[in-house]
């Protein structure tokens, strides 16, 4: 699996935008960029994913660099409920064998949101 | 929608006991999987299934068995519990296992083995 690099932690104030960066310089052409988050004592939660173009959904936006070597998860107005560990994960469309469907979670970014 | 439901939420076992962790999804997803989460090690894939009657091993399958008799259910069995299996277990499901599909997780089973 291609490796991703994220900052260990970030802080934000409530109702302000948050930009969470992810570097993936060894990304391949068939890798999707996924973001998940995990709130305390809960299972991981899917946030958003994309391949080449920027993506928006009700939770967040995903901005993908033109060379695909980095991406940014954007939370438009942070709330206290957004405090979580955010994981940037690459998933190969063609992965098979023991890697089929597998999500490789790194250490992620711990987001703290201040009232 | 219930999504992915895991039971029990908490369990304490003695070494050598057996038990089954239950996982059910109501989204008609073909792909289901089990992960364990340990401090400092992230989530690791134990077993997965691409449909009823089809299962395969992930990266840490030893000590665990699975079966998939229906689309909805994917139980995880510990045959003879060991303290090293103390962990938080998560079940996930998705339409398929291909890279473009989001996965939905349950809230986990917290298992302690004494």
């Amino acid at each position: 699996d291609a490796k991703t690099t994220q900052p260990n932690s970030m802080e934000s104030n409530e109702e302000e935008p948050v930009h969470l960066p992810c570097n993936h310089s060894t990304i391949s052409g068939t890798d999707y960029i996924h973001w998940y988050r995990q709130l305390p004592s809960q299972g991981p939660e899917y946030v958003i994913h994309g391949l080449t173009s920027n993506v928006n959904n009700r939770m967040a936006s995903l901005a993908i660099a033109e060379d695909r070597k980095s991406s940014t998860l954007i939370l438009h107005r942070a709330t206290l409920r957004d405090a979580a560990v955010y994981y940037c994960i690459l998933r190969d469309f063609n992965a098979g064998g023991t890697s089929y469907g597998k999500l490789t979670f790194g250490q992620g970014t711990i987001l703290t949101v201040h009232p | 929608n219930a999504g992915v439901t895991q039971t029990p939420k908490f369990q304490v076992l003695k070494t050598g006991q057996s038990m089954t962790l239950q996982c059910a999804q109501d989204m008609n997803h073909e792909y289901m999987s089990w992960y364990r989460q340990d401090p400092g090690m992230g989530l690791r894939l134990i077993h997965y299934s691409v449909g009823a009657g089809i299962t395969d091993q992930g990266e840490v399958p030893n000590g665990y068995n699975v079966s998939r008799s229906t689309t909805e259910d994917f139980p995880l069995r510990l045959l003879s519990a060991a303290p090293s299996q103390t962990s938080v277990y998560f079940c996930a499901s998705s339409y398929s296992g291909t890279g473009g599909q989001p996965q939905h997780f349950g809230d986990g089973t917290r298992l302690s083995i004494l």
Side-chain angles (χ1 to χ4, degrees), chain A residues 50-70:
Chain A
L51 186 61
T52 56
S53 302
N54 295 344
V55 184
N56 300 299
N57 66 20
R58 63 174 180 82
M59 291 181 68
S61 295
L62 176 60
I64 301 173
E66 194 169 338
D67 63 4
R68 299 186 73 233
K69 294 183 183 298
S70 65

Side-chain angles (χ1 to χ4, degrees), chain A residues 7-25:
Chain A
N8 290 332
S9 63
M10 292 186 65
E11 298 187 15
S12 174
N13 294 319
E14 204 173 7
E15 298 191 4
E16 290 184 354
V18 181
H19 291 233
L20 296 164
C22 181
N23 287 320
H24 28 79
S25 59

Side-chain angles (χ1 to χ4, degrees), chain A residues 64-78:
Chain A
I64 301 173
E66 194 169 338
D67 63 4
R68 299 186 73 233
K69 294 183 183 298
S70 65
S71 61
T72 302
L73 178 70
I74 303 167
L75 307 179
H76 295 285
R77 290 184 63 196

Side-chain angles (χ1 to χ4, degrees), chain A residues 60-106:
Chain A
S61 295
L62 176 60
I64 301 173
E66 194 169 338
D67 63 4
R68 299 186 73 233
K69 294 183 183 298
S70 65
S71 61
T72 302
L73 178 70
I74 303 167
L75 307 179
H76 295 285
R77 290 184 63 196
T79 69
L80 296 179
R81 195 192 173 279
D82 291 322
V85 181
Y86 286 78
Y87 298 98
C88 171
I89 299 169
L90 300 183
R91 294 192 60 205
D92 186 352
F93 183 84
N94 294 324
T98 58
S99 293
Y100 184 70
K102 175 182 164 184
L103 290 169
T104 300
F105 288 83

